[in-house]
Amino acid sequence: KHVEAYKTLEILQEEGKIKHIGVSNYAVEDYQELFAEGIKVKPAVNQIEINPFLYRKNTIEFFQKEGVVLQSYRSLRDGKAFDDPTVIEIAKSHGKSSAQILGRWCVQKGFVYMPKSVKKERMVENAQVFDFELSEGEMDKLDALTAKDAFATFEGLYRKCVNRDTSKDGSMDGVKMNITIN
């Protein structure tokens, strides 16, 4: 289970074998469970999906208040948002690509932005997010792109793939069913 694994990482940190501890896909309740079980060292980073189409504001605010750095994965939504009219409109106004707009949104929100690409030209393009700034109005438009069904999809995936309490026998006994979704 994740708590035991985390405690092992704390021991390795005490021994000087690792510098920092990070987590991935942690919901607020996963994080709180660590502390309820007596961990001593706060995670330095939590890698979660963050983009304008899955903007989990309450979760993000919680981790930011805790001082946990948020690293965004799927910042560019695997290219699935490049044709969104709002993103295209903002991209045109800045002479940038849709990928650069999504990347800049992450940067302006204070997230660690690490886009995935295997093509050198896209890597270069994805890195060009520091020479412009999105206006408050543009950020608000992007913030509003998360549809309600995105939260339901996230919840389903969390329960299916990420749940840290799944029993070995496949039953739902002890499985965390109530998590902060947005």
Side-chain angles (χ1 to χ4, degrees):
K1 291 199 177 195
H2 76 109
V3 174
E4 290 82 11
Y6 197 94
K7 287 181 177 182
T8 300
L9 291 171
E10 285 185 316
I11 292 167
L12 294 171
Q13 188 179 40
E14 286 173 15
E15 294 172 351
K17 294 180 179 174
I18 60 175
K19 289 187 177 190
H20 301 285
I21 302 172
V23 294
S24 182
N25 291 314
Y26 265 48
V28 169
E29 293 74 12
D30 297 320
Y31 178 85
Q32 291 170 330
E33 182 181 3
L34 289 175
F35 287 95
E37 294 293 327
I39 67 138
K40 301 172 201 146
V41 179
K42 184 185 297 190
V45 65
N46 185 10
Q47 182 189 55
I48 61 174
E49 180 176 350
I50 308 172
N51 57 62
F53 298 87
L54 187 59
Y55 182 38
R56 296 168 46 214
K57 191 173 182 179
N58 294 331
T59 297
I60 289 165
E61 286 177 358
F62 173 85
F63 282 105
Q64 288 175 329
K65 284 179 185 171
E66 288 290 311
V68 177
V69 172
L70 292 172
Q71 179 181 345
S72 169
Y73 75 82
R74 287 197 75 228
S75 305
L76 305 181
R77 293 198 69 230
D78 304 325
K80 294 175 184 163
F82 291 172
D83 293 331
D84 179 83
T86 301
V87 176
I88 290 172
E89 173 193 332
I90 294 170
K92 284 182 182 177
S93 74
H94 289 277
K96 296 289 185 178
S97 69
S98 292
Q100 290 167 323
I101 297 305
L102 296 174
R104 182 64 202 181
W105 179 87
C106 284
V107 168
Q108 276 185 232
K109 291 286 186 184
F111 310 133
V112 176
Y113 163 66
M114 293 184 63
K116 177 184 168 190
S117 183
V118 296
K119 297 184 178 179
K120 184 179 178 180
E121 61 275 7
R122 285 198 184 136
M123 290 178 196
V124 170
E125 174 188 331
N126 293 342
Q128 296 172 337
V129 297
F130 299 102
D131 60 345
F132 71 104
E133 193 169 308
L134 299 172
S135 71
E136 186 177 329
E138 290 168 330
M139 291 294 285
D140 290 342
K141 285 182 183 179
L142 292 168
D143 290 354
L145 292 176
T146 300
K148 288 183 182 181
D149 64 334
F151 294 128
T153 300
F154 164 76
E155 183 177 23
L157 285 172
Y158 176 88
R159 288 197 175 138
K160 178 181 177 187
C161 302
V162 182
N163 196 303
R164 286 151 180 70
D165 302 318
T166 305
S167 63
K168 290 180 182 176
D169 67 3
S171 73
M172 296 302 279
D173 291 340
V175 173
K176 199 177 295 128
M177 297 304 286
N178 296 314
I179 60 166
T180 302
I181 301 301
N182 59 355

